[in-house]
Amino acid sequence: MPVIAPVPAARPARIPNQRDGAEDGVAAGTSVDHLTETYRAHYRSLLGLAALLLDDTASCEDVVQEAFIRVHSARKRVRDPEKTLAYLRQTVVNLSRSALRRRILGLKLLSKPMPDMASAEEGAYDQLERDSLIKAMKGLQRRQREVLVLRYFADMTEAQVAEALGISLGSVKAYGSRGIAALRLAMEAPA
């Protein structure tokens, strides 16, 4: 969807100040008629301002429309008609910031997809295998168990295992080989 680029507009005709018919303390310049004229004169420039701050046309249009609605609701507070456009611009900027904040928060709170998980049967089978492996590991000699845990579960090299256990490199290889053979037998044996 294309983004509306700000169009450098020729200076709009100045909206005359009509303070004569003020009612209830509201200046005539902040009337609905004044806002309608401001809308006609400045809608495209406000849309261009929103386009600089946001990334899609629909959001820009929504922000500008909302800005006019809010200024209309608060027109009694804008007593000087010269400040109506400034008030509208500030409202467009603030609403654009809010829209961006909501998007960022939405992206942060988006649920992350769950990783591929095994079925219940596969999970149960994996748990049974883990249990039998732990049982078989407990049945090994202490040194064989230590070598296998450090070598394969802690991902250490044979030299690192030898240094950690204070034994020779040949002993690490021997304990590892015998431990794997014993595990293979224990895992293949019927329960």
Side-chain angles (χ1 to χ4, degrees), residues 46 81-92:
L46 290 170
E82 298 294 320
K83 294 183 180 177
T84 303
L85 183 58
Y87 192 73
L88 277 165
R89 284 184 183 134
Q90 188 61 51
T91 305
V92 166

Side-chain angles (χ1 to χ4, degrees), residues 18-19 21-31 75-79:
Q18 301 172 345
R19 287 191 177 256
E23 300 173 12
D24 299 327
V26 177
T30 56
S31 67
R75 68 184 184 276
K76 292 181 181 178
R77 287 186 275 160
V78 183
R79 296 190 185 278

Side-chain angles (χ1 to χ4, degrees), residues 123-157:
Y125 183 72
D126 290 344
Q127 184 64 43
L128 286 173
E129 278 189 340
R130 257 190 311 276
D131 290 346
S132 62
L133 177 63
I134 290 170
K135 184 178 177 183
M137 287 289 287
K138 288 180 180 178
L140 294 177
Q141 295 176 2
R142 181 179 56 88
R143 281 287 187 193
Q144 290 174 347
R145 186 172 51 247
E146 290 171 349
V147 167
L148 292 179
V149 167
L150 292 175
R151 179 77 177 100
Y152 296 103
F153 293 101
D155 202 27
M156 296 172 98
T157 64

Side-chain angles (χ1 to χ4, degrees), residues 29-97:
T30 56
S31 67
V32 174
D33 292 338
H34 176 71
L35 284 174
T36 303
E37 288 302 315
T38 304
Y39 179 86
R40 287 184 186 133
H42 297 286
Y43 177 78
R44 298 223 14 110
S45 66
L46 290 170
L47 203 56
L49 174 63
L52 291 171
L53 301 170
L54 296 170
D55 56 357
D56 66 298
T57 306
S59 295
C60 296
E61 291 171 349
D62 290 345
V63 162
V64 174
Q65 291 296 327
E66 182 66 23
F68 273 100
I69 290 168
R70 289 190 182 191
V71 170
H72 179 271
S73 299
R75 68 184 184 276
K76 292 181 181 178
R77 287 186 275 160
V78 183
R79 296 190 185 278
D80 187 2
E82 298 294 320
K83 294 183 180 177
T84 303
L85 183 58
Y87 192 73
L88 277 165
R89 284 184 183 134
Q90 188 61 51
T91 305
V92 166
V93 169
N94 289 341
L95 290 171
S96 297
R97 284 181 189 154

